[in-house]
Amino acid sequence: MKVKIKSWIAVASWKWDVPEDEVCGICRVQFDGTCPNCRFPGDDCALLVGKCGHSFHMHCLLDWINTESSRGLCPMCRQKFEYVEQ
Amino acid sequence: MSEVDYRKSPASSQQQQGKKRKQSPSASSQHEGPKYRPQHNQQQQQQVQQKQQQQQQAAELEPLPQESRRPQTISELFPAVPSSNSSRPNTPPSSTTTSSSTSKRPRASIEPTAEIYKPRYTAALSVPSTMLNFPDQNKVTIDLTDSPPNSHAAGSVKKMSTPKALRVPFQPGPHSAARKLVVKNLRTTAKGSPEVYYEQTWKSLDAALTAIFSGERISTSLEELYRGTENLCRADKSAPTYETLKARMEGYVGRKLKDELNERAGRGDDEVVKAVEAAWTKWCSQLNMIRSIFFYLDRSYLLSAPNLQTIWETGLSLFRKHISSDDRIGPRFLRGIFSLFEKDRQSQGAVEMSLLRPCIRMLSNLNIYTSDFEPKFISISRDYFSRFAEQEAHTKNLAGYIAECDHQLDRESFRCDRFQLDLSTKRELVSVLEEQMVKKQIPVLTDTESVGALLKETDIKSLTSLYSLLDRVGDAGTLLKPAWENYITVHGTSIIQDQDTEMVSHLLEFKSSLDKVWAGPFKKNDDLAYSLRESFSTFINARNPKMQHANNSKPAEMIAKYVDLLLRSGVKALTGNTTGGDRNEAENTNVGDEDAELAIQLENVLDLFRFIHGKDVFEAFYKKDLARRLLMGRSASADAERSMLTKLKTECGSGFTHNLEGMFKDMELSKETMNGFKSSKAGTDKSNGVDLNVHILSMSAWPTYPDVPISLPEDLAEYLETFKEFYIEKHKGKKLMWRHALAHCVLKANFPKGNKELVVSAFQAVVLLLFNSIEPTQSLSYTSIMEASGLPDREVNRTLQSLACGKYRVLVKSPKGKDVNKTDTFTLNNSFQDSKFRIKINQIQLKETKEENKETHERVAQDRQYETQAAIIRIMKSRKTIKHVELIQQTIEQTKNRGVLDVSEIKQNIEKYVSPSLPASPPSDMYWNLCANEDVI
């Protein structure tokens, strides 16, 4: 007797592709968690990965960028912050 | 004799009577006639007057023998007589007197009255008397011209009768020229002395009274007697007449009637009742006769005299004085009546209506009903029912007693109607019954145990009665509340403790029966509805030390699972639990009805869900089950899923369902992604005929699943890798992890006895695929399977058990047995056959293992700790200082909906945040927020 796969219903879960123990540089919360203002992690509270290599919660970083003193710089390395297109 | 006149006339006639009496009888006036009878219609009057005149003329013109004419005239006039009588105010109501006298009237009253009364009748223009007197009158001359022009009587006479009619008879007469009416043989003096007449009248009246009292026939004509009384009254002898009459009556009632009564009475009280009743009936008829005879006295004198009673009242008061209020008879009579009532109450209508009813009427006629009878009757009834209630309440069970109360209330009200008791008595009796049977027995009626028994049996009838009984004496809701709450709590707790698998359906049944009782017998009482909810949530959330899990999360878990069952298998899942009749019904209903039925069921379960405080447990299990349904494609109806989600959303807010909605969203997104993948080049190239579907989950929305290592067949693994690349390409910054424990697949298997499609889990598939590489007769050992599949020991065990020891045995295990051991070997089951083509063996995936269950509970417990801590922080952030008790209260308040921890646990959580370096000697029960004064929080 031979058995053949006809259809396969697989299940997968996704995560942010960041190192396990890295936290948001602004709120110090793990990227699996949310920024302080959100309640539900995932697509609702997305990440921004900077070209400088620093990642933040989008909400956290936008708050920072919107302050005048930021001058559009990454809060970690003080380079111009540009995020990677996704 | 019409009653209308009898009723109408008193007011006006009384006045006239009064007037009449004041005027001296000798003061003759022609105007008196018409005034005296204002009720006469004019036609009649006219007729009478005309006839009168014709008669006068006849008497004048042709002196024929009077006797021959008289009857004719009278019979002609007869129609007028009753009407004249009726116009007389208050003619005796008894028709016997008048009717007998009417026939006799013509002859009976003519002679004596006429003889004596002649002089006066010239003036009094009363029709009958005028009539009767004139024929053998001598001549009276009335000067018509002299009559006062403004006189109503004369005027009316003139006007009514045509001038011709008046004049014509006079013209041929010899005296017409003088314009005078001449009455011949007018005697101006009385024949006999009035006193003699009065004496005679007295005697005949007296004889009549004697006859009445002794029950004999009255020898004198009644009309004559009546007339005699009238004459006596007109002669101003009313007072002595009344006195004499009263004395005679008193003599009779006080002696003869009483003696007779005493003779009949005998010893027993009920014999007295009979005797009194007989005496009363007799006296009534006698009194009626007396009143009829002395009617004129009654109406003209007694009625208007302020200090005197009418004959009827006199008679009644005499009866009252001598008989009903007699020291010996009165009390015995009442006792007799009461004992008759008691007898009636005991033997249910054994007492004849004909005895009691007249007695009651007598009592009210004698005016002693309200003064003597009613209070005693009420108090005696109170005693009786007090005894009765005591006895019944302690011998019968509650249902029996309630029925008895209802019965007694009905009976008593019926009894009142039957014996024509007064309405006020009826009212009071009912209130006595309510007081004695209900109010005083409230402890019995609201006894928690017996009411509980009624509720348990859902004895709708008794409960309805009970409620309405209690409602009579007070607020039934408040009275029933303790028993109601107690029943719900006790019964509910027993359901929760004893039954695990059937718990929810039992709870649902319980709830629906309570609702039925509440809506029916308890008339939707607001209090009871409130306490129903209260008690329900009390027992459902009760912390039970016996329970395995803390905080009694069992009901919430069971409800979640019940919903899962409904959503997985629809209403069909329920029919298994219910009776055969229901099943048939369910089969007969079409799909639309099934949906409706499902919606109803879900609504009911949601009812229970509302009572649950620890909604986090429900959410955890619901989420888990929902995940399974979605991933395995086991939902019975997507609509039902959606509607349930909407219901939960309205119930608990969007925060509660956000994750659940996220799960649905993930499913949608996965579908889109799969469409994209399948239309891509890589997706079609490497498929190898496998139809791949991937569900991509956002970690946070779904339950956490353990990562189980597994070695997939190479081509499949490659294909999955292709998909992974495709996905990551599309969503940069994300990475994908396979959850093979949740995956399942369809396998094509060619068994010797036919091709089958097997729906199996990924694990099962991997194990089965191993058998592709060996000959059908060869076997694989447990350890080799474990090695080749890469599965952990526990999963291999479960998987092999499901394949070799389940309902569908695709593998054969040797040695045979129910449990899988590490030394067992397995071969393909070549003789496998089944009627179905598609066989589902992946039930094992759906089943929740004990470990999983425990894990879920633990996770919920853990989450509660976090929630509590978050709540504490939130509270403290908003306050500078707070007292310990207050903090605990607010924490409970905030976490109530999700699930509350024990006070001791809350305290522990608080202590985690208490800084060890507190300000010097703070009050021990106060907390400071150390950050409160700082800007940064």
Side-chain angles (χ1 to χ4, degrees):
Chain A
M1 186 197 86
K2 294 288 176 195
V3 191
K4 196 172 173 293
I5 300 172
K6 194 184 171 210
S7 70
W8 190 275
I9 294 107
V11 178
S13 59
W14 64 264
K15 267 185 160 183
W16 298 113
D17 189 15
V18 285
E20 277 291 320
D21 51 352
E22 199 172 300
V23 294
C24 168
I26 295 171
C27 67
R28 317 299 291 172
V29 173
Q30 289 206 332
F31 288 115
D32 287 341
T34 64
C35 74
N37 298 323
C38 284
R39 290 194 63 196
F40 299 99
D43 286 324
D44 289 345
C45 186
L47 298 191
L48 280 183
V49 181
K51 283 182 177 166
C52 59
H54 295 116
S55 307
F56 307 95
H57 286 123
M58 185 177 72
H59 297 143
C60 294
L61 191 81
L62 287 179
D63 278 352
W64 162 249
I65 293 289
N66 287 339
T67 58
E68 272 184 30
S69 56
S70 73
R71 286 172 290 151
L73 301 181
C74 165
M76 305 292 281
C77 60
R78 300 286 164 181
Q79 295 182 36
K80 179 96 180 154
F81 188 85
E82 288 170 7
Y83 62 90
V84 181
E85 283 287 343
Q86 294 197 6
Chain B
M1 189 167 315
S2 69
E3 257 188 49
V4 184
D5 281 354
Y6 176 65
R7 278 190 207 146
K8 260 194 215 159
S9 43
S12 56
S13 61
Q14 210 175 317
Q15 280 182 337
Q16 287 146 15
Q17 294 266 337
K19 258 184 213 165
K20 167 113 178 72
R21 212 165 347 107
K22 274 173 214 154
Q23 283 168 343
S24 153
S26 55
S28 57
S29 138
Q30 288 188 345
H31 333 312
E32 218 174 344
K35 267 190 202 163
Y36 185 41
R37 284 192 307 276
Q39 309 273 328
H40 257 309
N41 71 39
Q42 293 196 325
Q43 246 185 347
Q44 257 181 0
Q45 202 173 350
Q46 197 176 348
Q47 206 181 12
V48 169
Q49 301 244 356
Q50 277 179 355
K51 293 222 168 166
Q52 198 177 322
Q53 285 183 358
Q54 277 169 12
Q55 211 180 344
Q56 284 174 6
Q57 291 152 18
E60 210 176 340
L61 297 176
E62 21 176 343
L64 282 169
Q66 309 285 334
E67 304 302 320
S68 60
R69 261 203 75 74
R70 209 181 301 139
Q72 193 197 346
T73 331
I74 288 161
S75 67
E76 274 177 273
L77 273 167
F78 192 64
V81 173
S83 71
S84 87
N85 245 346
S86 76
S87 75
R88 235 178 255 267
N90 303 309
T91 328
S94 149
S95 60
T96 49
T97 336
T98 32
S99 64
S100 65
S101 60
T102 317
S103 56
K104 282 176 191 170
R105 186 174 297 166
R107 248 182 301 130
S109 44
I110 295 167
E111 272 83 17
T113 327
E115 289 299 19
I116 297 162
Y117 244 66
K118 199 167 40 192
R120 208 168 282 141
Y121 270 97
T122 50
L125 217 70
S126 160
V127 176
S129 39
T130 324
M131 281 288 322
L132 296 165
N133 286 327
F134 270 120
D136 61 344
Q137 275 311 311
N138 316 322
K139 282 180 189 168
V140 175
T141 313
I142 298 168
D143 190 346
L144 290 169
T145 48
D146 287 350
S147 56
N150 60 342
S151 148
H152 180 70
S156 72
V157 169
K158 268 186 183 171
K159 276 175 203 162
M160 299 302 152
S161 41
T162 57
K164 261 187 187 176
L166 269 178
R167 265 179 235 131
V168 170
F170 296 113
Q171 275 171 354
H175 307 288
S176 61
R179 299 189 68 195
K180 293 221 169 170
L181 202 88
V182 180
V183 179
K184 288 175 184 171
N185 299 331
L186 176 67
R187 193 187 289 158
T188 48
T189 52
K191 256 182 189 173
S193 152
E195 293 308 320
V196 177
Y197 170 69
Y198 297 143
E199 273 310 308
Q200 275 177 6
T201 317
W202 269 124
K203 269 183 195 158
S204 57
L205 284 173
D206 202 52
L209 283 177
T210 315
I212 290 171
F213 290 151
S214 56
E216 288 160 13
R217 200 172 165 278
I218 303 168
S219 52
T220 338
S221 95
L222 292 175
E223 169 73 21
E224 197 177 319
L225 290 173
Y226 173 78
R227 191 70 62 204
T229 318
E230 185 178 349
N231 290 337
L232 278 176
C233 291
R234 291 190 182 205
D236 229 0
K237 300 215 182 294
S238 303
T241 313
Y242 174 66
E243 286 309 319
T244 325
L245 173 66
K246 192 177 172 186
R248 283 295 320 258
M249 275 156 61
E250 182 153 15
Y252 169 69
V253 175
R255 294 213 191 83
K256 190 153 180 279
L257 194 64
K258 198 169 171 180
D259 290 347
E260 273 175 19
L261 191 149
N262 279 334
E263 245 171 64
R264 283 196 57 180
R267 304 193 73 83
D269 285 341
D270 43 344
E271 282 174 58
V272 174
V273 175
K274 278 179 199 159
V276 169
E277 198 268 322
W280 167 254
T281 318
K282 190 174 170 192
W283 177 236
C284 275
S285 69
Q286 287 167 341
L287 196 58
N288 208 356
M289 182 60 106
I290 292 169
R291 187 172 68 155
S292 304
I293 291 173
F294 289 89
F295 197 70
Y296 196 87
L297 174 74
D298 200 27
R299 292 292 118 178
S300 67
Y301 174 66
L302 294 176
L303 195 65
S304 50
N307 301 324
L308 296 174
Q309 292 173 306
T310 58
I311 293 177
W312 185 257
E313 283 165 0
T314 314
L316 293 186
S317 66
L318 284 176
F319 194 84
R320 186 159 55 231
K321 180 177 162 195
H322 289 288
I323 295 179
S324 67
S325 301
D326 184 81
D327 286 343
R328 285 192 316 122
I329 305 168
R332 282 182 71 194
F333 173 65
L334 284 181
R335 266 207 310 278
I337 289 190
F338 297 146
S339 75
L340 282 176
F341 265 105
E342 184 155 343
K343 211 162 120 192
D344 191 60
R345 278 177 183 142
Q346 279 165 354
S347 54
Q348 307 296 351
V351 175
E352 280 300 312
M353 192 160 64
S354 56
L355 178 57
L356 267 178
R357 219 190 228 184
C359 288
I360 300 299
R361 216 176 310 151
M362 175 189 121
L363 287 169
S364 58
N365 276 341
L366 287 176
N367 274 337
I368 52 173
Y369 181 84
T370 40
S371 58
D372 287 12
F373 172 74
E374 198 179 7
K376 274 189 202 161
F377 180 61
I378 296 296
S379 90
I380 279 185
S381 304
R382 182 173 288 124
D383 290 348
Y384 173 78
F385 284 114
S386 160
R387 266 182 285 123
F388 183 77
E390 277 302 315
Q391 188 196 335
E392 292 292 311
H394 291 104
T395 49
K396 286 195 170 136
N397 65 4
L398 185 58
Y401 183 67
I402 290 169
E404 190 62 45
C405 286
D406 259 0
H407 182 65
Q408 286 299 330
L409 275 167
D410 279 356
R411 290 288 318 171
E412 209 51 34
S413 152
F414 174 71
R415 189 169 291 123
C416 288
D417 292 342
R418 187 158 168 258
F419 297 129
Q420 295 180 338
L421 294 181
D422 199 68
L423 271 180
S424 69
T425 319
K426 188 171 170 180
R427 265 201 304 278
E428 260 187 74
L429 260 186
V430 169
S431 74
V432 161
L433 266 170
E434 282 165 1
E435 186 194 321
Q436 297 299 331
M437 302 275 298
V438 183
K439 204 168 187 174
K440 283 205 172 169
Q441 301 298 333
I442 279 179
V444 175
L445 285 170
T446 58
D447 180 57
T448 42
E449 263 180 48
S450 10
V451 174
L454 288 187
L455 287 169
K456 196 167 186 178
E457 291 157 21
T458 4
D459 187 344
I460 298 291
K461 190 168 163 273
S462 296
L463 287 171
T464 314
S465 303
L466 176 63
Y467 186 88
S468 52
L469 283 178
L470 290 175
D471 215 24
R472 283 163 176 266
V473 298
D475 182 7
T478 321
L479 290 171
L480 280 170
K481 206 169 157 185
W484 173 248
E485 281 176 353
N486 181 60
Y487 167 70
I488 296 172
T489 316
V490 169
H491 196 71
T493 311
S494 78
I495 290 180
I496 284 191
Q497 277 178 350
D498 295 347
Q499 300 133 346
D500 264 5
T501 46
E502 300 273 293
M503 184 205 282
V504 177
S505 55
H506 279 120
L507 279 178
L508 283 174
E509 271 170 39
F510 182 49
K511 177 79 188 350
S512 87
S513 91
L514 288 177
D515 279 344
K516 206 167 104 191
V517 169
W518 173 72
F522 290 171
K523 304 202 174 102
K524 304 197 174 180
N525 185 295
D526 288 342
D527 269 0
L528 293 179
Y530 178 74
S531 61
L532 166 66
R533 286 196 297 273
E534 283 287 292
S535 316
F536 229 92
S537 74
T538 306
F539 80 74
I540 227 170
N541 293 304
R543 285 160 200 275
N544 193 338
K546 277 191 218 162
M547 302 297 286
Q548 184 184 352
H549 313 287
N551 303 333
N552 193 14
S553 45
K554 202 74 186 166
E557 182 192 332
M558 296 313 289
I559 289 171
K561 286 185 176 161
Y562 188 80
V563 174
D564 176 49
L565 183 73
L566 280 178
L567 291 173
R568 237 185 318 132
S569 352
V571 199
K572 274 173 263 165
L574 295 179
T575 51
N577 299 333
T578 48
T579 56
D582 285 346
R583 195 178 302 155
N584 287 338
E585 228 169 76
E587 276 167 15
N588 291 336
T589 51
N590 56 30
V591 184
D593 284 346
E594 227 169 71
D595 279 353
E597 176 70 28
L598 186 63
I600 291 168
Q601 285 293 336
L602 287 176
E603 195 58 56
N604 288 344
V605 181
L606 220 63
D607 254 0
L608 288 184
F609 171 68
R610 288 191 188 108
F611 295 122
I612 300 240
H613 283 165
K615 297 207 176 13
D616 50 352
V617 181
F618 176 85
E619 191 200 4
F621 281 95
Y622 186 79
K623 196 160 119 180
K624 222 166 149 100
D625 292 329
L626 175 63
R628 278 213 184 87
R629 289 199 299 276
L630 290 176
L631 297 178
M632 313 284 164
R634 287 304 177 85
S635 259
S637 142
D639 284 348
E641 291 282 1
R642 293 264 170 212
S643 83
M644 185 67 195
L645 196 64
T646 323
K647 278 172 188 165
L648 286 176
K649 195 170 179 174
T650 49
E651 203 61 42
C652 309
S654 58
F656 188 83
T657 50
H658 189 277
N659 280 340
L660 305 176
E661 279 168 12
M663 291 161 78
F664 281 98
K665 214 159 82 187
D666 278 350
M667 297 302 285
E668 298 281 321
L669 284 174
S670 305
K671 219 183 254 173
E672 279 174 30
T673 314
M674 279 324 292
N675 286 340
F677 175 67
K678 278 177 183 168
S679 56
S680 74
K681 191 169 177 291
T684 42
D685 283 357
K686 299 187 177 176
S687 68
N688 286 330
V690 177
D691 179 17
L692 181 69
N693 260 304
V694 184
H695 298 305
I696 304 134
L697 319 177
S698 322
M699 279 291 284
S700 57
W702 294 73
T704 47
Y705 297 106
D707 213 356
V708 184
I710 186 175
S711 319
L712 292 177
E714 263 180 43
D715 47 349
L716 182 69
E718 204 179 311
Y719 191 38
L720 287 178
E721 200 54 40
T722 318
F723 174 78
K724 200 170 177 177
E725 278 163 21
F726 172 82
Y727 182 81
I728 289 171
E729 183 62 32
K730 222 179 165 188
H731 304 272
K732 276 181 188 147
K734 288 183 181 177
K735 57 182 181 185
L736 214 53
M737 277 158 299
W738 295 109
R739 304 287 172 196
H740 292 302
L742 297 164
H744 67 283
C745 60
V746 181
L747 296 181
K748 262 188 202 164
N750 325 315
F751 289 102
K753 295 193 175 174
N755 291 350
K756 298 284 174 202
E757 268 189 18
L758 304 177
V759 181
V760 291
S761 72
F763 297 169
Q764 288 169 326
V766 167
V767 170
L768 285 177
L769 285 168
L770 291 178
F771 287 87
N772 278 348
S773 54
I774 54 167
E775 290 301 307
T777 47
Q778 279 184 311
S779 65
L780 284 173
S781 69
Y782 182 91
T783 41
S784 62
I785 291 175
M786 196 164 105
E787 256 172 50
S789 67
L791 287 167
D793 181 39
R794 199 165 59 93
E795 292 301 329
V796 178
N797 195 317
R798 265 181 87 196
T799 310
L800 284 174
Q801 189 164 25
S802 69
L803 290 170
C805 311
K807 193 180 169 194
Y808 303 102
R809 296 181 179 186
V810 191
L811 296 181
V812 177
K813 184 175 83 90
S814 78
K816 291 191 173 177
K818 276 198 171 178
D819 293 318
V820 175
N821 295 313
K822 286 191 176 178
T823 51
D824 294 341
T825 56
F826 299 87
T827 44
L828 277 175
N829 180 4
N830 287 317
S831 57
F832 181 84
Q833 62 171 358
D834 197 87
S835 55
K836 276 184 271 184
F837 175 66
R838 196 183 170 97
I839 296 162
K840 286 179 184 175
I841 324 181
N842 64 340
Q843 310 291 351
I844 194 163
Q845 263 183 312
L846 291 172
K847 248 180 223 152
E848 182 189 44
T849 58
K850 269 189 184 167
E851 290 79 22
E852 276 179 328
N853 185 296
K854 201 178 161 198
E855 197 194 300
T856 311
H857 276 294
E858 274 166 6
R859 203 157 31 79
V860 169
Q862 193 61 43
D863 283 351
R864 276 190 189 182
Q865 301 280 348
Y866 297 144
E867 296 255 0
T868 308
Q869 288 170 16
I872 293 168
I873 297 294
R874 271 200 299 275
I875 295 162
M876 286 312 291
K877 268 190 174 179
S878 63
R879 306 279 293 254
K880 265 189 184 179
T881 57
I882 193 167
K883 285 198 169 177
H884 176 73
V885 182
E886 209 182 329
L887 178 57
I888 297 236
Q889 269 176 359
Q890 291 205 11
T891 312
I892 292 175
E893 189 60 37
Q894 286 214 3
T895 54
K896 202 166 70 184
N897 277 334
R898 298 287 300 171
V900 186
L901 290 180
D902 245 0
V903 175
S904 62
E905 284 179 286
I906 295 177
K907 206 173 170 185
Q908 277 176 18
N909 277 310
I910 294 173
E911 274 161 12
K912 282 183 191 167
Y913 293 99
V914 174
S915 160
S917 58
L918 279 173
S921 63
S924 58
D925 62 342
M926 194 74 102
Y927 297 114
W928 270 265
N929 179 0
L930 294 177
C931 303
N933 293 325
E934 298 167 25
D935 291 335
V936 183
I937 295 174

